[in-house]
Amino acid sequence: MAQQQERGCLPCTNCFVTVPQDKYYAVESFGKFSHMLKPGLSFAGPDCCGCCVNFRSVTSRVDQLVVSVHTKTKDNVFVTCKVAVQQSVLPEKAVDAMYKLSDVHAQIDSYVADVVRSAVPHMTLDDAFEKKDDVSVAVQQKLTVEMGHYGFQIHKALVTEMVPNAEVVQSMNE
């Protein structure tokens, strides 16, 4: 979900650019945000040797990030929770998505770890397995509110896996 620098479609100039259907393009004039472009061929403005007009882009596709969080349960068992988060850029807030956060995945990692580490330590190991959906809902609610400020929509947050440490798994199998 990282933003990228883009180039125009003519050599030595950024006057014209072809915007793909699955991306949002921002036009910068001398480093300052100017406006957004729609998909297709667009005229961005007069440019001399590619130094006056620049482009930034971010994808409009849904992106999935898997976050691993190590935490301890109420009965002193260490578990690794894997949470899959599906997010995309809100079309009306594409500018915020490009300019407000430098590392979207790191921010999502922090919010997911915060929610998981505040919920799972209040549960026993058995409760944690039974209430994976409750943890998923809590993560999704937190991310929807917080990431909405930065121009991102959270489609789903799922706890896909909870793995206790190896010693506990071995003792459970005996």
Side-chain angles (χ1 to χ4, degrees), residues 49-121:
C49 299
C51 62
C52 303
V53 176
N54 292 311
F55 306 105
R56 285 185 194 232
S57 72
V58 68
T59 185
S60 63
R61 295 181 181 200
V62 176
D63 187 29
Q64 179 167 303
L65 171 67
V66 178
V67 180
S68 289
V69 181
H70 302 287
T71 189
K72 188 175 173 183
T73 62
K74 190 176 187 178
D75 47 359
N76 294 324
V77 176
F78 285 94
V79 293
T80 301
C81 297
K82 288 192 179 177
V83 181
V85 178
Q86 298 167 345
Q87 85 274 356
S88 65
V89 174
L90 290 164
E92 64 277 3
K93 291 188 169 185
V95 174
D96 291 342
M98 282 189 226
Y99 292 103
K100 282 194 171 181
L101 278 180
S102 62
D103 192 348
V104 176
H105 290 165
Q107 192 67 45
I108 290 174
D109 278 354
S110 297
Y111 286 128
V112 170
D114 179 52
V115 173
V116 171
R117 287 188 180 130
S118 65
V120 173

Side-chain angles (χ1 to χ4, degrees), residues 6 9 18 22 35 46 56 60-61 82 98-99 104 109 112 114 124 126 136 141 143 147 156 158 168:
E6 302 289 348
C9 58
T18 304
D22 67 341
H35 61 280
R56 285 185 194 232
S60 63
R61 295 181 181 200
K82 288 192 179 177
M98 282 189 226
Y99 292 103
V104 176
D109 278 354
V112 170
D114 179 52
T124 63
D126 291 337
S136 294
Q141 287 174 344
L143 285 176
M147 295 306 291
K156 203 70 175 162
L158 296 169
V168 173

